[in-house]
Each structure stands twice: as C-alpha cells, then as structure tokens.
Amino acid sequence: DGGITQSPKYLFRKEGQNVTLSCEQNLNHDAMYWYRQDPGQGLRLIYYSQIVNDFQKGDIAEGYSVSREKKESFPLTVTSAQKNPTAFYLCASRPTGGYNEQFFGPGTRLTVL
Amino acid sequence: DAKTTQPNSMESNEEEPVHLPCNHSTISGTDYIHWYRQLPSQGPEYVIHGLTSNVNNRMASLAIAEDRKSSTLILHRATLRDAAVYYCILSRLYGGATNKLIFGTGTLLAVQP
C-alpha cells in the first residue's frame, strides 16, 4: 500500500544528543514537509522540500537540519541546539502541481530526558 | 500569513449534522480554504478544500461565504469516528509549487452517542 512511514513511533533521547527522525514515502510525491506539534497546539512548519537536493526553512527551523538525497526520503535531525525538542513530529508529502492535499505520516513522539 | 479563528470546542449528537464555523477576515484572493482533522496521536487527515464556490465530497461539504471572510464545514451525519480536532487553514502557493499550511489550534469536536 502507498503511504508515508515514520519510525520509530516513540523515541527517547538524553539532553545534548542529536537524533534523526525517519520519513519515507512511496507515493512518488515531489514535495515533503516536517512539522512539529506541541500539546494542545496546531502544527508548525520546520522544513520543506519541493524536489530532491533542495529544501527550504519553515517557520521554526532553528535547531533542526534536513536532507533530501532521495525522492522517497526526508530525514529530520533534531540537534542539541534545539532548546525544547520534546514534541510530536509529523512528516507530510504532496504531489506538486496545484493545490493538492498533503498526506501525513503517523508521527514520531520525541521525548528528551 | 492570513489567520483563521475557530471555536475551541463543539459538541454534537451522533447521526445529527454538524456545522463547524471558521472566520478568516484577512483572507486574500489567492488563498484556498482547507480543512483537515486530527485524531489523538495521529497525523492530520485532509477533509476538503475550496476557493470561492461551495464544495462537496464523500466526507463533508464546505460552504464559503460570498465575501470569503468565513466558511463552514458541514458533516451531514456525525458518527463517533468523526470526533477529532478540526483545523481550518488558509493556504497559498509559495515558490510556485509548494503550498504552505498554517495551522491554528482548531476545534475539538465531541460526538455523543
């Protein structure tokens, strides 16, 4: 079945460690996105990529980094520079061309201890 | 970015219609109106979107005011599975290809059996 996978569902890390969250899609979508969600809040855009080897900062990119070496994959690294990394992280993808819907993955809940 | 205003919460009874309002008084001519919904600990799910005319799909209907400053998502017969947070979002193309979704805090819909 086509879709977006994020792994793992729950992730625990010690403060000061970098951690990479996985996002893979087999929908053949060009555009991919990373969002962060805090309790009781809406989603905020971290980074997005319209095409392989290209990505743009969203509204809250500080302390995060991404890469887009393959169309199917858009990993997000939460660095030690991110002040409050504990959150629910959501990856999405979208076919380019017009106002198509974004398809979201199941999310990864990151807890930094 | 144009913002939307939604009630924090609403209640409905099962099998009855639900009208979820959204105000977007600062909407621009190129902004599309999107609705997504999110169940607890899951990624958001696309519901419907429109520009000027009312829209219908298998999930819901979208009624857009003539001046586009407000819209209403209509669930024709609420079921328990419709209990979720509903986000009304304005979206426009950035960089020619990628639409950017700006999430607010949404409306928490409770459905009573």
Side-chain angles (χ1 to χ4, degrees), chain A residues 33 37 42 50 94 99 102, chain B residues 32 36 38 87 97-99 104:
Chain A
Y33 307 77
Q37 187 174 33
Q50 298 182 40
R94 187 182 76 90
Y99 285 83
Q102 289 189 20
Chain B
Y32 277 65
Y36 282 73
Q38 184 178 26
Y87 296 101
T98 295
N99 68 334

Side-chain angles (χ1 to χ4, degrees), chain A residues 7-111:
Chain A
S7 59
K9 189 167 180 65
Y10 298 96
L11 189 57
F12 296 88
R13 278 295 181 270
K14 291 183 178 179
E15 194 172 348
Q17 289 181 333
N18 291 353
V19 60
T20 297
L21 309 184
S22 166
C23 177
E24 304 280 331
Q25 54 99 359
N26 60 4
L27 300 167
N28 200 34
H29 289 171
D30 289 309
M32 296 187 73
Y33 307 77
W34 273 106
Y35 294 88
R36 168 187 173 134
Q37 187 174 33
D38 293 287
Q41 302 298 313
L43 282 66
R44 292 183 290 167
L45 182 65
I46 305 173
Y47 267 98
Y48 63 98
S49 168
Q50 298 182 40
I51 198 167
V52 174
N53 293 322
D54 181 68
F55 47 83
Q56 307 295 327
K57 292 182 179 180
D59 299 319
I60 55 166
E62 185 175 349
Y64 299 98
S65 67
V66 293
S67 63
R68 186 83 188 278
E69 297 176 1
K70 297 186 300 181
K71 188 176 185 177
E72 311 81 52
S73 178
F74 191 38
L76 173 75
T77 297
V78 184
T79 75
S80 57
Q82 168 51 232
K83 300 299 181 190
N84 297 295
T86 294
F88 188 43
Y89 290 88
L90 287 152
C91 179
S93 71
R94 187 182 76 90
T96 50
Y99 285 83
N100 296 302
E101 64 188 271
Q102 289 189 20
F103 293 81
F104 285 82
T108 292
R109 189 167 300 279
L110 173 65
T111 302

